[in-house]
């Protein structure tokens, strides 16, 4: 059960990483492209993360207050009507990429331009494939429960063991057997109960389950940061423009600057 929880946490963490990478790569390569299509890429990427959370919880609705300024009411309705909301969002991302990076100059570009263009589009779709892989891993974990034979055997053994303890140790421990049996039973049955509790850790009402609302907020914050930084970079001739020049500074100067800031 602990492994399942950590596998789910890892997969959702990878979704956060995939969202960051997809939006960042799209913004870098999308300079001068269709702004509406670029906006759709970012919006539907956020929609994918939220739809994945809702789908794993078995909830069909997309809360309006969680996507204010990101998806319209029409977009939310389309997601809710789809049989598989996360895949619907993925499909919309791919269509937005096609609109943003469509080949308007097909047949006119040089070989180098064509290779560069194809490599960029391939990288974008690779980021999407990574998101699909992680969401699929979460679906697999949700759909795969512990084998019944394992659960039945374990529970039968625990019950028989706890019931047999008083008869085995009463002659040696006397009245202390009650406390000993109670402590051992609490420990063993607690482990089994914890495994059952964390078998599918997606329920929002269980305190021991994954805090997916916070993970989604982290995805939205990451996209917001990237959009803000991209807006600040617009108009610059080079992405390397910034204040200061670390490469020309000595180590002592850098240490002094850090100490002053702290």
């Amino acid at each position: 059960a602990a492994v399942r929880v950590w596998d789910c946490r890892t997969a959702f963490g990878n979704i956060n990483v995939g969202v960051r990478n997809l939006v960042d790569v799209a913004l870098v390569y999308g300079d001068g492209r269709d702004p509406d299509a670029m906006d759709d890429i970012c919006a539907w990427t956020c929609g994918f993360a939220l739809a994945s959370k809702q789908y794993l919880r078995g909830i069909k609705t997309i809360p309006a207050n969680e996507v204010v300024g990101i998806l319209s009411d029409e977009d939310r309705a389309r997601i809710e009507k789809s049989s598989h909301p996360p895949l619907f969002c993925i499909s919309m991302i791919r269509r937005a990429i096609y609109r943003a990076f469509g080949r308007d100059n097909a047949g006119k570009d040089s070989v180098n331009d064509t290779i560069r263009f194809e490599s960029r589009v391939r990288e974008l779709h690779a980021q999407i494939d990574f998101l699909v892989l992680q969401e699929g891993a979460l679906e697999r974990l949700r759909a795969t429960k512990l084998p019944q034979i394992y659960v039945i055997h374990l529970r039968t053994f625990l019950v028989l063991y706890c019931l047999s303890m008083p008869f085995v140790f009463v002659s040696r421990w006397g009245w202390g057997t009650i406390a000993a049996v109670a402590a051992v039973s609490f420990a063993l049955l607690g482990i089994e109960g914890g495994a059952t509790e964390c078998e599918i850790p997606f329920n929002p009402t269980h305190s021991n389950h994954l805090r997916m609302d916070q993970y989604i907020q982290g995805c939205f914050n990451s996209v917001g940061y990237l959009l803000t930084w991209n807006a600040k970079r617009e108009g610059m001739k080079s992405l390397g423009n910034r204040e200061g020049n670390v490469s020309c500074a000595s180590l002592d100067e850098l240490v002094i600057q850090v100490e002053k800031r702290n």
Side-chain angles (χ1 to χ4, degrees):
V3 174
R4 291 171 64 90
V5 171
W6 283 113
D7 286 344
C8 292
R9 181 63 185 93
T10 300
F12 228 107
N14 288 337
I15 287 180
N16 199 330
V17 173
V19 167
R20 295 174 181 176
N21 290 339
L22 175 58
V23 172
D24 192 26
V25 172
L27 292 175
V28 171
Y29 292 159
D31 186 25
R33 299 284 177 176
D34 182 2
D36 293 334
M38 296 301 301
D39 184 69
D40 283 346
I41 293 175
C42 299
W44 284 110
T45 301
C46 293
F48 165 79
L50 181 59
S52 298
K53 179 197 74 172
Q54 297 295 94
Y55 185 73
L56 291 169
R57 288 178 172 176
I59 303 174
K60 288 289 294 183
T61 58
I62 302 296
N65 61 324
E66 295 188 24
V67 291
V68 174
I70 301 176
L71 296 174
S72 64
D73 292 338
E74 181 182 356
D75 293 333
R76 291 194 304 106
R78 294 165 66 188
I79 295 175
E80 292 173 354
K81 291 179 181 179
S82 63
S83 57
H84 198 293
L87 288 186
F88 176 80
C89 294
I90 287 294
S91 179
M92 297 303 295
I93 297 172
R94 294 189 190 276
R95 282 162 172 75
I97 289 176
Y98 179 80
R99 297 201 321 270
F101 296 89
R103 297 300 307 278
D104 296 331
N105 298 322
K108 300 179 182 179
D109 295 336
S110 64
V111 175
N112 290 337
D113 291 337
T114 301
I115 294 175
R116 187 181 301 110
F117 173 84
E118 294 296 338
S119 64
R120 291 176 177 179
V121 174
R122 189 180 301 112
E123 182 175 357
L124 287 168
H125 284 289
Q127 300 297 338
I128 296 176
D129 294 340
F130 179 77
L131 289 175
V132 175
L133 179 64
Q134 302 308 318
E135 198 276 335
L138 290 169
E139 284 189 41
R140 182 179 67 250
L141 289 167
R142 187 190 66 169
T144 307
K145 297 184 178 181
L146 295 176
Q148 286 296 320
I149 183 62
Y150 169 80
V151 175
I152 294 173
H153 178 77
L154 176 62
R155 291 177 178 177
T156 303
F157 171 78
L158 288 177
V159 170
L160 293 178
Y161 180 79
C162 293
L163 291 177
S164 64
M165 282 188 65
F167 302 99
V168 175
F169 297 106
V170 65
S171 60
R172 179 178 301 178
W173 294 343
W175 289 104
T177 305
I178 299 176
V181 171
V184 173
S185 299
F186 175 80
L188 295 179
L189 297 178
I191 294 174
E192 198 280 332
T196 303
E197 167 73 10
C198 300
E199 183 179 6
I200 302 177
F202 300 127
N203 196 314
T205 62
H206 292 202
S207 60
N208 295 308
H209 286 197
L210 297 178
R211 300 177 181 178
M212 294 193 290
D213 293 315
Q214 296 181 7
Y215 307 157
I216 298 302
Q217 188 60 51
C219 292
F220 288 4
N221 291 339
S222 298
V223 174
Y225 297 149
L226 291 170
L227 290 172
T228 301
W229 296 334
N230 185 72
K232 291 181 179 179
R233 288 198 299 260
E234 288 183 356
M236 292 183 178
K237 296 181 180 180
S238 171
L239 294 178
N241 291 344
R242 55 180 173 74
E243 297 180 1
N245 192 343
V246 178
S247 61
C248 297
S250 65
L251 179 60
D252 294 336
E253 291 173 344
L254 292 177
V255 172
I256 292 174
Q257 291 177 6
V258 172
E259 290 177 350
K260 288 182 178 179
R261 291 177 181 177
N262 293 335

